[in-house]
Amino acid sequence: MSKQSVTVGLSTYEKIKHDIIFGILEPGAKLKLEHLKARYKASVSTLRETLNRLASEGFVSAEEQRGFFVPPVSPEDLTEIAKLRVLLECHALKESIANGDTDWEANLVAAHHKLHVMEKQMLAGDLSGKETWKRFDWEFHLALIQACNSRNLLSLHSTLYDKYLRYQMLVLTYRGDEAVQEHKDMFEAALARDGDLAAEVLERHILRGLEHTLQAM
C-alpha cells in the first residue's frame, strides 16, 4: 500500500469518526457508500476499510446484508461506558501519579492551564468553542494518566473517552463551576502525589457527568 493511500485512509477515518462523535452523522443513520464517497472524497475500497475499522472499535455498526450504520444511543450504553471509564482511568491515574516525573508535571500544568482558560470562557456564556473545550478537556485527562506506562491502557481509555464524548456532544450541556472545581481538585491532588484523592475526585467527576448527561437525554 502506498504512503499516499495510507494518508488518505487515515484522513478518512479521522473525518468520519469526528462526524460520528460530534453528531454530524446522527445515531441510527445508514452510512451509504455512495453518499460517503461524495462527502469524504474517498474511494469505495477506502471507505469499506475505514468503516470496518470503526466497526471493530464500536463507532459503527455493521449489519449483515444491510450495511453500515451509526450506532444508536441509550442510557444503558452510556452508563456502561462511564463505569468502564471509572475503572480504567482511576487505575491509570494512580499509576501515573506514582510514576510521573518533572516532564509529566510540566505537561499537566500546561494542559490544566489551557483547559482552565477555556472553562472561564464557557462560564462567561461563550459556548462557541465547544470542540476546542473538549479537545483541551481530553488533553488534560490524558496528561493526568500519561505516565501510567501502559500503551494498552491508554489506547483503551482513548476509545472509551471518545464514546463518552459522543453522548456529551449529542446533548451538550455544561456543568459549570462544579466541573471546573473538580478539574482543579484533580490537578492539585496529582501534583501533591495523592493518588487516592485524585482517583476519588476523578470518579466523582465522571459519575456526576454521567448523571448530568442522562438528565439531558
Side-chain angles (χ1 to χ4, degrees):
M1 184 179 293
S2 70
K3 184 176 181 180
Q4 182 178 4
S5 297
V6 171
T7 301
V8 171
L10 181 59
S11 174
T12 303
Y13 165 83
E14 290 175 344
K15 288 175 182 176
I16 295 177
K17 184 178 178 181
H18 170 278
D19 288 353
I20 290 171
I21 291 172
F22 284 88
I24 297 167
L25 295 172
E26 297 180 354
K30 185 168 185 178
L31 299 170
K32 298 179 180 179
L33 292 174
E34 288 305 314
H35 291 172
L36 298 179
K37 182 179 177 181
R39 182 184 187 117
Y40 297 103
K41 311 300 181 188
S43 67
V44 169
S45 61
T46 295
L47 289 168
R48 284 190 184 278
E49 183 178 335
T50 297
L51 293 176
N52 279 315
R53 178 181 175 186
L54 288 167
S56 72
E57 296 172 353
F59 293 100
V60 164
S61 297
E63 299 184 19
E64 192 173 352
Q65 306 300 325
R66 295 191 65 219
F68 297 99
F69 295 81
V70 178
V73 295
S74 71
E76 294 77 16
D77 183 54
L78 172 59
T79 300
E80 182 181 12
I81 290 168
K83 288 181 178 179
L84 285 170
R85 190 179 159 198
V86 167
L87 287 174
L88 288 179
E89 195 169 336
C90 287
H91 172 70
L93 178 57
K94 288 182 179 181
E95 291 293 309
S96 188
I97 288 172
N99 297 325
D101 56 15
T102 53
D103 287 336
W104 169 78
E105 288 186 359
N107 186 48
L108 180 58
V109 169
H112 182 259
H113 174 71
K114 288 165 64 179
L115 174 60
H116 192 62
V117 169
M118 183 56 65
E119 285 176 327
K120 288 194 291 184
Q121 179 179 318
M122 300 280 286
L123 288 173
D126 183 357
L127 303 181
S128 62
K130 69 175 184 178
E131 286 199 35
T132 302
W133 162 50
K134 294 312 299 184
R135 186 175 78 249
F136 288 171
D137 183 76
W138 158 246
E139 289 176 358
F140 172 68
H141 281 272
L142 179 59
L144 281 168
I145 66 171
Q146 190 74 59
C148 71
N149 292 338
S150 172
R151 289 188 177 183
N152 288 323
L153 184 51
L154 290 172
S155 177
L156 287 170
H157 171 261
S158 176
T159 298
L160 277 174
Y161 183 93
D162 283 343
K163 290 181 177 180
Y164 187 84
L165 176 59
R166 182 166 82 109
Y167 279 88
Q168 289 188 313
M169 292 298 97
L170 287 171
V171 293
L172 180 65
T173 54
Y174 184 48
R175 287 200 295 131
D177 286 317
E178 183 180 64
V180 173
Q181 187 61 49
E182 288 161 2
H183 284 145
K184 183 174 182 290
D185 291 345
M186 272 186 279
F187 170 66
E188 292 177 348
L191 289 184
R193 302 297 174 137
D194 191 335
D196 289 337
L197 177 58
E200 179 185 321
V201 177
L202 174 59
E203 180 174 359
R204 184 167 67 246
H205 176 70
I206 294 172
L207 294 180
R208 284 180 177 175
L210 167 63
E211 181 181 353
H212 190 77
T213 306
L214 287 172
Q215 289 175 350
M217 287 180 69

